[in-house]
Amino acid sequence: MDVKPGNCWRCMKPLPESLVTCGRCPQAKYCSDQCQEQDRVRHGAVECQMFGPKSCSYCKKTGEMKQCAGCNNAWYCNGTCQRKSWAAHKEVCQDIQAMIADLSLELTNKYTDLAKGDVTHTRETFLDPPYYFGNTMACDFLQLGQNEWADGIRADETMRDFHILSAGCGDLRHTVLTAASLPAEYQGKVHIVLNDLDPYVMARNVLFLYMLILHKDREGIAASLATLWYSLHISKCDYNLTKTSLRKLIQADARSIQEAMKGCVSISDEDLAKLRYVWKGWYSLECERIKSSSVNLTKQRQAVFAENFFFSHELQLYYERLSPKEAKNLKTWFQRGLFLAQDSSVRSLPFDNPTLTARRQQIVGGYMEATDDFVYCIHRNLTPFTALDSLQVQGSAGETTSTPTVMYHKYVEKQLQKTSTLLAQDRLHIHMLVSSCLEIPRHHQAQKMAKFDRIFTSNLADFVGCRKLLQTLRPLMNPNNKNATLVTETMNWILYMPEANVWDERSGRDINDSTKTTMQLCKDDTGKALSSPMAISNQIEYFNNTHWFCAYLRANMMAGGFHIPELDHIPNLKEAMKCEGLQMHDFREELNKLVPFKFRVNARSLTSPTGAERALEWYLPSDR
């Protein structure tokens, strides 16, 4: 669940003293009977089942139950009920265990192939373009109120420093949200190691920070950077500032860059060489749109949208989730790609944005190769609205009725202003590390970095496996902080589990039969009827696939690869939740403290998450 403690589970407003609680599960709390009733469908469909009491699969009594360790989807009063139920349960239970074993082998082969291909060392190996727009919502790395300050604020805690590793986490959205979310009482320093193997994303990060620090006194710098971050076209003034900054970065060495940025941003000469090539590519582009030799990002962007036959259908499903005003604004955004502080004419933006380009990718002789041409490279499904939580953006905007694009721009601008203040106070230090996540321990030791209070890993577990990730990064956690946490995320798990989706053609289920109930639940919850059963993401939060995720987690923990042998047995869930010296927060019994186990989907119509994102939090056991 994605509502912070002390807030209503429906409207997210602070809870009054006379709050209303769910009568069945211990987690959901509401500010009123009205909010509880409005949330009845959504909460009852999955969450209440997950957190609430279980019924015996044999005698149907409710109370203290023990889970079937084989399938994680049957519950029993005692061994007697389990034995009596075995004849009926045996086939399903054994099928699930066989599926776990088969999936483990599939994942082992995948991770082994990835290791052989050495794909952790170069972005050019991937077909995916750089993630300049994040594919998950930004999160606050610290959230002190739910962690170190959960039991109250001690004077000595307000001045302590925090050390964070953002491994494979891409652009600056998490960093600026963390800086902007720090409580006023906190006066310490935040040290972030920002890691990604993609030199394009990291080149963009350094450029933005360079401009933010060197031009902090320039009027409107935060607004200019918000535009540069997401807008297809930019003004002449912003283009000239970008071009000047690129020229200075190309000519500088690591030491002079660090000095220019007042010691707040550091990078090695080795990593700087990887970024310089990107800056040279951006600098060399002809971006004045009236010239025939211009890069013409509008045309290239339209070609990206046209490449997929189903994209227009996907957009239509997206628009149906929005209010008429929101849909109109988002249609304009997809047509023009402008991200501005106020609605403006394209004519006032005579330059294309060079930082939305990367080297053209093409397959030659079965291998991925990159040409010298820099072209538009934003994935068609990624927008500013996917990268930032619409609920947080709307909450920040208050009662204003600006268009979504303007509202988002002001939100990003405000975050950048707070980040600039923290940098000017010498309270935010960022070390750029352009490398594979598996190489981080070597850099950590060589550069004598501090142990980390937080480690975020994006969805790296989808590519190297959970065990390898935990084994690699656990030694870097701060053993002296009981709130030290390592977060792993997965987005791709559902691709391996067709039964876990509302509908997947591989599951053998008929789409109309599969979605009939969930479509109705979605209508009951949101008041909007879905026009197509293919609107899977709208329906998924009403489909309880918890036990399928548990099966995936067990398969992932069983899998080998990257020099880790596959386990010789299927781990039970308790074993899967205790791995490589770390313990996982049990998402079926307690709420995560940094990133929710899963997000509400239909409450975030603008952001439109897929509903398949899952986050796990790992901590060092107290008895270690």
Side-chain angles (χ1 to χ4, degrees), residues 66-297:
K66 291 187 177 181
Q67 188 179 43
C68 172
C71 67
N72 304 120
N73 197 35
W75 301 83
Y76 299 101
C77 305
N78 48 46
T80 301
C81 280
Q82 186 170 16
R83 285 191 295 273
K84 289 181 178 179
S85 178
W86 180 241
H89 180 62
K90 177 180 179 180
E91 184 177 355
V92 172
C93 189
Q94 290 181 342
D95 284 348
I96 290 177
Q97 291 182 68
M99 181 271 295
I100 293 173
D102 289 343
L103 178 54
S104 171
L105 181 59
E106 182 180 352
L107 292 173
T108 297
N109 292 335
K110 172 192 170 184
Y111 300 147
T112 301
D113 288 344
L114 286 173
K116 289 178 180 177
D118 200 26
V119 298
T120 59
H121 288 79
T122 171
R123 193 200 73 83
E124 310 297 2
T125 314
F126 292 104
L127 289 171
D128 282 346
Y131 282 88
Y132 294 154
F133 296 2
N135 60 348
T136 58
M137 291 180 287
C139 63
D140 174 4
F141 287 145
L142 285 174
Q143 298 191 53
L144 296 176
Q146 294 176 236
N147 295 278
E148 282 80 1
W149 293 7
D151 299 324
I153 307 173
R154 300 200 318 265
D156 60 322
E157 285 289 322
T158 62
M159 294 301 296
R160 68 170 290 181
D161 291 353
F162 284 95
H163 296 267
I164 300 164
L165 169 62
S166 177
C169 290
D171 70 27
L172 290 170
R173 68 191 188 282
H174 306 297
T175 299
V176 297
L177 177 58
T178 301
S181 302
L182 288 172
E185 301 91 334
Y186 178 70
Q187 293 298 310
K189 295 183 179 181
V190 178
H191 303 263
I192 299 177
V193 174
L194 191 57
N195 160 257
D196 201 294
L197 64 85
D198 190 331
Y200 297 89
V201 171
M202 296 297 277
R204 212 165 182 251
N205 291 342
V206 175
L207 172 64
F208 287 2
L209 289 169
Y210 183 83
M211 295 170 69
L212 187 64
I213 293 171
L214 265 68
H215 301 281
K216 63 181 178 62
D217 297 324
R218 178 179 180 268
E219 184 178 356
I221 184 61
S224 293
L225 283 172
T227 298
L228 190 64
W229 201 333
Y230 292 116
S231 186
L232 189 68
H233 306 314
I234 57 179
S235 68
K236 181 178 181 179
C237 182
D238 288 345
Y239 176 75
N240 289 339
L241 180 63
T242 302
K243 190 109 174 181
T244 299
S245 299
L246 285 171
R247 184 178 68 250
K248 291 180 178 179
L249 283 170
I250 290 168
Q251 295 171 349
D253 59 18
R255 182 176 179 179
S256 61
I257 288 177
Q258 185 170 347
E259 290 175 351
M261 292 201 270
K262 316 301 182 185
C264 291
V265 179
S266 59
I267 187 171
S268 70
D269 279 311
E270 179 185 358
D271 286 346
L272 183 61
K274 303 171 187 175
L275 310 189
R276 191 174 286 116
Y277 176 85
V278 180
W279 294 328
K280 287 181 178 179
W282 292 339
Y283 187 81
S284 66
L285 284 177
E286 176 55 72
C287 293
E288 191 168 3
R289 295 169 49 233
I290 63 171
K291 294 183 177 180
S292 60
S293 56
S294 169
V295 65
N296 198 341
L297 295 190

Side-chain angles (χ1 to χ4, degrees), residues 388-407:
L388 303 168
D389 186 346
S390 59
L391 289 181
Q392 292 186 18
V393 177
Q394 290 162 341
S396 174
E399 300 299 322
T400 58
T401 57
S402 59
T403 63
T405 306
V406 171
M407 179 176 64

Side-chain angles (χ1 to χ4, degrees), residues 319-490:
Y319 296 146
E320 287 179 2
R321 303 173 66 170
L322 308 175
S323 70
K325 182 178 179 180
E326 289 173 334
K328 180 180 179 181
N329 180 254
L330 268 294
K331 287 178 182 177
T332 301
W333 187 86
F334 275 102
Q335 291 167 359
R336 299 165 66 188
L338 302 185
F339 191 78
L340 307 169
Q342 57 187 4
D343 294 324
S344 179
S345 168
V346 177
R347 293 180 181 178
S348 64
L349 304 165
F351 288 86
D352 281 332
N353 183 350
T355 75
L356 297 185
T357 67
R359 295 172 72 191
R360 186 193 305 273
Q361 303 283 318
Q362 61 185 18
I363 298 177
V364 178
Y367 294 94
M368 176 59 64
E369 290 187 2
T371 69
D372 289 331
D373 300 327
F374 273 64
V375 297
Y376 179 80
C377 63
I378 307 300
H379 193 284
R380 61 182 177 277
N381 289 326
L382 300 184
T383 71
F385 316 103
T386 60
L388 303 168
D389 186 346
S390 59
L391 289 181
Q392 292 186 18
V393 177
Q394 290 162 341
S396 174
E399 300 299 322
T400 58
T401 57
S402 59
T403 63
T405 306
V406 171
M407 179 176 64
Y408 265 73
H409 191 283
K410 291 185 181 299
Y411 179 75
V412 176
E413 182 181 346
K414 189 185 301 183
Q415 287 189 332
L416 287 168
Q417 288 169 343
K418 292 182 178 179
T419 303
S420 177
T421 299
L422 207 65
L423 288 164
Q425 294 172 348
D426 192 35
R427 293 175 52 213
L428 177 61
H429 292 258
I430 303 172
H431 179 76
M432 298 291 176
L433 185 58
V434 188
S435 76
S436 157
C437 63
L438 302 182
E439 296 176 330
I440 292 175
R442 176 173 64 83
H443 294 288
H444 184 272
Q445 182 178 18
Q447 300 179 35
K448 298 180 180 179
M449 299 177 185
K451 293 293 182 78
F452 297 111
D453 300 289
R454 307 281 192 273
I455 297 178
F456 284 76
T457 64
S458 185
N459 67 320
L460 291 172
D462 283 332
F463 302 100
V464 302
C466 223
R467 283 169 62 207
K468 181 62 177 179
L469 203 55
L470 297 181
Q471 181 191 76
T472 302
L473 300 179
R474 179 199 58 77
L476 310 186
M477 295 178 69
N478 183 0
N480 299 316
N481 183 354
K482 67 177 183 179
N483 295 105
T485 306
L486 189 158
V487 180
T488 60
E489 298 178 66
T490 174

Side-chain angles (χ1 to χ4, degrees), residues 559-621:
F562 285 97
H563 310 294
I564 291 182
E566 185 179 18
L567 297 182
D568 59 2
H569 65 285
I570 299 174
N572 59 39
L573 194 55
K574 184 178 292 187
E575 183 182 355
M577 290 184 175
K578 192 172 185 179
C579 180
E580 299 296 337
L582 291 170
Q583 181 69 52
M584 191 186 83
H585 286 140
D586 191 339
F587 50 83
R588 304 167 306 163
E589 298 181 2
E590 58 182 331
L591 301 181
N592 283 358
K593 298 180 179 181
L594 290 168
V595 184
F597 171 62
K598 66 175 185 175
F599 287 95
R600 288 174 296 167
V601 174
N602 288 306
R604 296 177 166 82
S605 55
L606 276 170
T607 302
S608 192
T610 67
E613 301 90 346
R614 298 290 183 270
L616 305 176
E617 293 184 351
W618 302 84
Y619 61 94
L620 294 164

